[in-house]
Amino acid sequence: MNHAKPYQYLLKKQLNYRCGIFLVHFFFAFMVNAGAQQKPNIILILGDDVGYRSLTCNGGNVYSTPNIDTLAQKGMRFTQCHASADCSPSRQLLLTGKYNFRNYIDWGVMDRSQKTIANMFKDAGYRTACYGKWQLDGGDTSIKTFGFDNYTIHTPYVYSSELTKYKNPQIYTKGAFLPDSLTLNKYGPDICIDSMFEFINKNKSGPFFIYCPLLLVHNPFSPTPDDTAFANWDPGNADTSFFPSMMHYMDKEIGQIIKKVKEDGLQNNTVILFTGDNGTPPGVIDYIDENGNPVPGGKHELAEAGTHVPLIAYWPGAVAPGTINNDLIDFTDFLPTLAGIAGIPVPTDYGPLDGVSFSDRLTGQPGTPREWIFNYIDRHPGQDVAKRWAQTKIYKLYDTSAVKPQFLFYNIGNDPDEEKPIPDTSLTPGEIIIRQQLLDVINGYVAQGTPLISLNPSLSGITESSVVLKDTIRADGGSTVTASGAVWSTSPYPELSSSSHTTSGVTWGPFGTLVQGLAKNTTYYIRAYATNFAGIVYSNQLIFKTLDAPVATAATSIGTNTFQANWNAYSGSNYRLDVSESPSFTKINKLTVTEGFNNGIIPPAGWTISTNVIVNTTSFATASPSLEFTASNDQVMTKPLGGPATQLSFWIKGLNTNKTSSLLIEGFDGYNWTVITSIAKLPKSGAVKKFNANTNPPLSRNFIQFRFTYTKKAGTLVFDDVSIKYNNPVPYFVPGYKNLKVTTNSKTVTGLKPATGYYYRVRAIKGGALTGNSNIIQVTTSTLNYQLSSVEDSSKTYNALAKASRENMQVKTFPNPLQSILNIDFNAPDITLKRISVYNVNGKLLISKISDDNLQLDVKQLSCRDLTGATLLSGQHRDVKTSDTKR
């Protein structure tokens, strides 16, 4: 081999193989099925959480899988097939023939522009169908977009609950969920398989392609219809003791599929492939090792136990029985392989494809097997140091440059658990060459980092000085996104080097960014951008014009309970007027959210809990139960808050954890998730962790949501009693003056209190757009302050309101009374007015009255206070006679 340019050599070698694939197409068209009138039917079965060593045919010694073993005995068994470490990324690899950096948007969300195996078969005249676990968001729309004509599935949307797949299942078909009457006490896997057989009955003349992603054996672990416990089982429970029964039932389903194909006479023209999407769950036994020790499953782990999966190909008459194949296979290889089996040209308009066909290997042809595989997994930032890697059968190289400039190199033949990376100084000459080859593979994919974002961003919330741009990171080329956001200018096609820009750091999936500080009434060009090691990529640009907000001016005609609000006219507009006693136009309510997980793993309203999290009733903070994280990437996400958090606290306890265990705490500010801290030394005796503005690290941002991720499993982690204090801003306006519609550029505001501060602001409505708020004007209403000098009842000087020491009172008037009438209203019991004296501020007696039928005073408003300033009574606009003032 020429080692001068090992990466180029390997790529060229695989490219030459792809260019020769037409020979494979020709071969399959002319071989065993040459006499047939149709292309072969294909059934692709995907076991959910079935690791390589779980199967008896692969050396497993815990579970019985006779039907799968029969497939292996009568077909070809592969020993080196690798998927991703989690189910959602694996399914996207398998369906598209592309590494996840090209199509993976988020958990359960795949770029809708992608084409799949089903699209390929449908275009070739196949009838296509899917039965089982879909796990790609979008329901009927995504299923049909990705090429499937018929389906009966679980999880048609991202947030479908795993609790609803087995007994009393939620099953989705023809754009709707089956009614409860058809699923009560039924078993989800049975419904899916029965629907699959109905499809086969209607399409025996073929050809058909069936994608069968089984519901089994993913948790919740629960009885099957073959267990006596099924009849009375609560679907909300979980018990790992039923896992062997679930494995047996999965194997039973595969036996039913084989039997169906034989009974319908389709055996010799139907290819059945069986594989698994990742390792066996960590909460159950995978196999018993040579020392008699039970080995737990490795799902979620990036080592062999998490990615090594079974693969069996069964095709009577074409695949030699009992064949063992040791080629490297990864999940991107299925699309070109199935194209080769069916004699379909590999699509040239699907964009870059990463798979290498092994279809010729099924019939014992030499072919050109892979010498390496690549993988890239994106869960969410901060969860894993190692995010991408390349490997041969014996060696594996991780690229951890997302976090620090480090590459971890392992001999996985001797160290399958990847516990001892090989130091660079200890490499043999042969290992140096292999390491460089794998590094070239990684760097080659990193360099394929475009496009990074969707080309079609959107704008919202345009004001006179700001706008929100939204877009989606679609792919990051296998390399870490180091910055993303918006770039803008008053000139077309702005770039980072010459314009203002926002940055939201490492971002993936949908994101939004707030652009501020814009000039009013100005045309801007704006576009999204993202950067990685491959460079900068921009979206299409959008053009928008900022608004020109009105300017509020000083209030006029200020009285005791009224004033006139004013602002500059905004041509051709109506207005929205706000008036409040608060300069922020809000009141702040201090609230607290507490969650002790009294319902166990059933998520509280608005919260999200990973499916691998279990209930712990022996270790908890203040009350049982608590939550227990059992695997890396287990996660709890709080509900969104009504305002910014001021304090976060929770209780944790590490069970048999070591220094490699860690809990990642992140906060969401409405636009981005930000790491608060990662707790590496987990307390083994249990402790409350608290974060606020004064802690280290501080809770300093305006977080409205939190998530907790067990990023490095070493033992399990107990989690309990989350408490979040937050400020909830509540709109606070003068009644009737919140967004009051005004057609002129002034408005008289009434119903106010005297001697009180008020604030007003205004927005303009023009062409359907609403400007931002104007400047804020402060105004204080006038004060009229009166006090009584002497009040007597019919028998003695009145002292019920004023004690003996306060019998001598005065009325002070400011401003001096005008010639209008105020009628006094006493809000006190058993008072008969006899005498009142009114003085102006200079002490001059204005009025002195004694026992009049209609006592009327030439003042506007009266407040009755004693000499200490305490309010005793007040009156306003009411006729009061000496004969009827008892109140």
Side-chain angles (χ1 to χ4, degrees), residues 37 333 454 459 539 681 758:
Q37 295 297 313
D333 297 341
S454 75
L459 298 177
S539 72
K681 296 181 180 179
Y758 292 94

Side-chain angles (χ1 to χ4, degrees), residues 623-701:
S624 177
S626 62
L627 300 183
E628 183 175 342
F629 295 167
T630 64
S632 295
N633 306 307
D634 281 351
Q635 188 177 90
V636 170
M637 185 184 301
T638 72
K639 69 178 181 181
L641 306 172
T646 57
Q647 180 170 294
L648 166 69
S649 66
F650 52 89
W651 181 90
I652 56 174
K653 179 180 180 181
L655 303 181
N656 303 313
T657 58
N658 60 34
K659 62 183 180 181
T660 64
S661 303
S662 60
L663 179 68
L664 179 70
I665 300 97
E666 298 170 284
F668 183 66
D669 62 6
Y671 294 97
N672 299 294
W673 286 99
T674 301
V675 174
I676 299 171
T677 189
S678 181
I679 302 174
K681 296 181 180 179
L682 301 177
K684 296 185 178 181
S685 59
V688 173
K689 299 294 183 180
K690 182 182 296 184
F691 303 91
N692 54 41
N694 300 316
T695 58
N696 184 21
L699 193 69
S700 57
R701 300 190 60 172

Side-chain angles (χ1 to χ4, degrees), residues 49-55 59-63 243 247 279-289 293-299 304-306 308:
D49 290 1
V50 182
Y52 181 82
R53 289 292 298 270
S54 291
L55 303 183
N61 48 19
V62 177
Y63 311 109
F243 187 74
M247 285 286 291
T280 305
V284 297
I285 298 173
D286 194 6
Y287 63 94
I288 304 295
D289 67 15
N293 299 316
V295 178
K299 178 181 178 179
E304 290 284 288
H308 193 191

Side-chain angles (χ1 to χ4, degrees), residues 7 10 99 304 328 330 370-376 387-399 407-410 412 418 434-445:
Y7 172 67
L10 291 172
Y99 290 125
E304 290 284 288
L328 275 174
D330 80 14
R370 284 177 169 273
E371 295 189 16
W372 48 263
I373 61 174
F374 172 80
N375 211 324
Y376 163 83
K387 307 274 287 195
R388 53 186 171 267
W389 65 94
Q391 70 177 82
T392 66
K393 296 178 186 179
I394 304 299
Y395 290 97
K396 189 172 185 180
L397 178 68
Y398 284 103
D399 175 8
F407 293 84
L408 303 177
F409 187 55
Y410 295 92
I412 55 177
E418 301 174 12
I434 293 171
R435 184 187 185 281
Q436 185 61 48
Q437 289 173 344
L438 295 179
L439 180 59
D440 288 342
V441 170
I442 292 173
N443 289 338
Y445 281 109

Side-chain angles (χ1 to χ4, degrees), residues 87-88 92 104-112 133-140 142-143 146 153-164 170 172 177 218 508 510 608-611 635 637:
C87 50
S88 182
Q92 297 189 32
Y104 185 88
I105 292 177
D106 201 345
W107 187 264
V109 182
M110 188 167 74
D111 182 354
R112 292 284 180 87
K133 180 179 178 179
W134 177 240
Q135 204 183 38
L136 289 175
D137 192 45
D140 182 78
S142 72
I143 298 168
F146 294 134
I153 61 166
H154 183 261
T155 57
Y157 301 102
V158 170
Y159 298 108
S160 303
S161 171
E162 294 284 1
L163 298 175
T164 59
Q170 286 185 354
Y172 185 82
F177 287 97
H218 195 289
W508 57 274
T608 301
I609 299 176
S610 295
T611 55
Q635 188 177 90
M637 185 184 301

